[in-house]
Amino acid sequence: MATMKAAVIYEAGGPEMLKVETRPIPKPEKGQVLIRVKAFGLNRSEMFTRQGMSPNVKFPRVLGIEAVGLVEEAPGNEFKKGEMVATAMGGIGRVFDGGYAEYTCPPATQVQAIQTEIPWETFGAIPEMLQTAYGSLFRSLLLKKGDHLLIRGGTTSVGLAAAAIAKNHGAQVSATSRRADRAEMMHASGVDHVFIDKGEIATDVRKKFPEGVDKVLELVGVTTLGDSMKVVKDGGIVCMTGMVGNKWALDNFSPMDFIPTAVGLTTYAGDSQDFVNTPLEEMAQQIKAGTLHVQIGKVFHLDDIVEAHRTMEENKAGGKIVVLT
């Protein structure tokens, strides 16, 4: 029986709960695609699952909500052997085994083929990150050319990607960070104005931009959401996409007090259809041409998955963490 290397979790806990072991290579059925995984990005939702915060995910499980690689087999002939492909969302790494392995076997309906060749560490960074940034900006925030966008959590991988995409779209981009030394990194991704986030930014933003901003992409979460609502002009929108603040719900939520008049509040979660609708090929072309900046933080090997998760948990990457197989 052919085997593969995979990182498996049997019970919730710290990074050390991820065990690299040998498993049988999955056999694809019609409608599935067996992918020889070359790389995958790490995502905070996987950290939450590892910590036991995803009650619907049953252990043991191979985590990983995204992966990129080469088609090994597609019984339904949806893809050709050797095609470069990406997959994300739709239950991968949650309902069925995911990308933390040398092979994964998702439904063909949640796989995209990519023609533009870019390095595996770059390709591995983009499926979930760009899907989340793109969907937040254009499905939820309805971003238009000329809009002023503020990204709360500007040094997260999604925040940096969103800044680059928004800048290419003709938006003015502001972003926040708790650290002044991260400003150069944000500017490199297209950020025009940096605000140092000490827990409250509304006063500083309104001082520089008295009318407020058009759109806010909230990536820190409920710990800063109320303050972010205060920086938006009438008719603007706040989209909560991330929860890097590690808090899941608002306390004593009173809509009339919390949501300013004429300001919209929405969310973006993303699903497999959102991933399929994300123009990955177009953005891969931009990346190769140097017109779309992708900030890679650190690159690890599958054998070092524990260290990779620890780096994510300690927020030490400075960009997207990618794992090569």
Side-chain angles (χ1 to χ4, degrees):
M1 179 182 292
T3 60
M4 67 176 184
K5 191 181 294 185
V8 186
I9 184 167
Y10 288 88
E11 58 181 308
E16 69 280 357
M17 303 311 292
L18 293 162
K19 310 295 184 183
V20 178
E21 59 184 45
T22 299
R23 282 198 156 193
I25 295 175
K27 292 186 70 67
E29 299 177 354
K30 192 171 183 179
Q32 295 179 321
V33 180
L34 181 62
I35 300 171
R36 169 67 173 96
V37 177
K38 289 292 190 178
F40 57 87
L42 292 195
N43 299 280
R44 294 189 76 84
S45 66
E46 297 154 0
M47 182 184 76
F48 295 143
T49 299
R50 191 205 75 220
Q51 293 170 338
M53 297 182 186
S54 303
N56 294 330
V57 178
K58 306 302 181 187
F59 296 158
R61 176 64 68 216
V62 177
L63 301 182
I65 64 171
E66 64 177 322
V68 301
L70 301 172
V71 173
E72 183 69 22
E73 187 179 352
N77 297 316
E78 297 91 348
F79 299 93
K80 296 178 182 178
K81 184 173 181 176
E83 275 193 282
M84 286 181 62
V85 292
T87 185
M89 309 300 291
I92 185 172
R94 297 176 63 84
V95 178
F96 56 92
D97 286 339
Y100 288 18
E102 291 178 322
Y103 291 86
T104 190
C105 195
T109 53
Q110 61 190 66
V111 176
Q112 280 201 56
I114 304 295
Q115 307 302 319
T116 301
E117 292 190 11
I118 54 178
W120 287 116
E121 58 266 32
T122 303
F123 193 16
I126 70 174
E128 172 63 10
M129 180 177 71
L130 294 190
Q131 176 271 135
T132 303
Y134 184 88
S136 298
L137 293 177
F138 299 112
R139 186 178 178 196
S140 293
L141 284 172
L142 308 175
L143 189 74
K144 305 185 303 294
K145 183 178 181 179
D147 276 349
H148 186 176
L149 170 73
L150 184 138
I151 302 169
R152 191 80 181 254
T155 59
T156 61
S157 61
V158 172
L160 293 167
I165 294 170
K167 190 66 176 178
N168 279 1
H169 194 66
Q172 180 181 2
V173 183
S174 295
T176 73
S177 175
R178 292 176 298 174
R179 293 171 49 179
D181 62 351
R182 294 292 181 92
E184 185 177 342
M185 178 173 67
M186 289 191 286
H187 288 315
S189 289
V191 174
D192 300 299
H193 310 284
V194 173
F195 293 94
I196 304 305
D197 194 343
K198 300 176 181 177
E200 192 272 343
I201 62 163
T203 301
D204 288 343
V205 173
R206 287 286 186 173
K207 185 175 181 180
K208 187 171 184 65
F209 304 106
E211 293 184 0
V213 302
D214 298 293
K215 311 286 169 64
V216 173
L217 176 55
E218 176 59 74
L219 297 171
V220 178
V222 297
T223 56
T224 56
L225 181 60
D227 185 58
S228 293
M229 298 291 294
K230 298 174 184 176
V231 308
V232 184
K233 64 178 64 171
D234 284 5
I237 307 172
V238 177
C239 173
M240 185 175 136
T241 294
M243 291 180 286
V244 298
N246 292 353
K247 186 177 179 182
W248 298 79
L250 291 164
D251 298 324
N252 304 315
F253 177 58
S254 173
M256 294 295 288
D257 295 328
F258 189 83
I259 304 174
T261 298
V263 171
L265 173 61
T266 187
T267 64
Y268 181 78
D271 56 27
S272 57
Q273 192 57 50
D274 288 307
F275 168 70
V276 172
N277 291 339
T278 302
L280 278 188
E281 172 62 32
E282 178 184 334
M283 289 192 280
Q285 293 174 10
Q286 294 172 2
I287 291 167
K288 188 169 185 177
T291 58
L292 179 62
H293 179 71
V294 173
Q295 181 72 30
I296 307 295
K298 293 190 175 182
V299 179
F300 294 88
H301 190 272
L302 181 59
D303 289 330
D304 303 314
I305 190 67
V306 171
E307 183 184 353
H309 255 248
R310 187 169 288 116
T311 299
M312 174 169 60
E313 191 162 351
E314 295 173 354
N315 296 315
K316 290 182 175 180
K320 184 73 171 182
I321 298 173
V322 179
V323 179
L324 302 174
T325 61

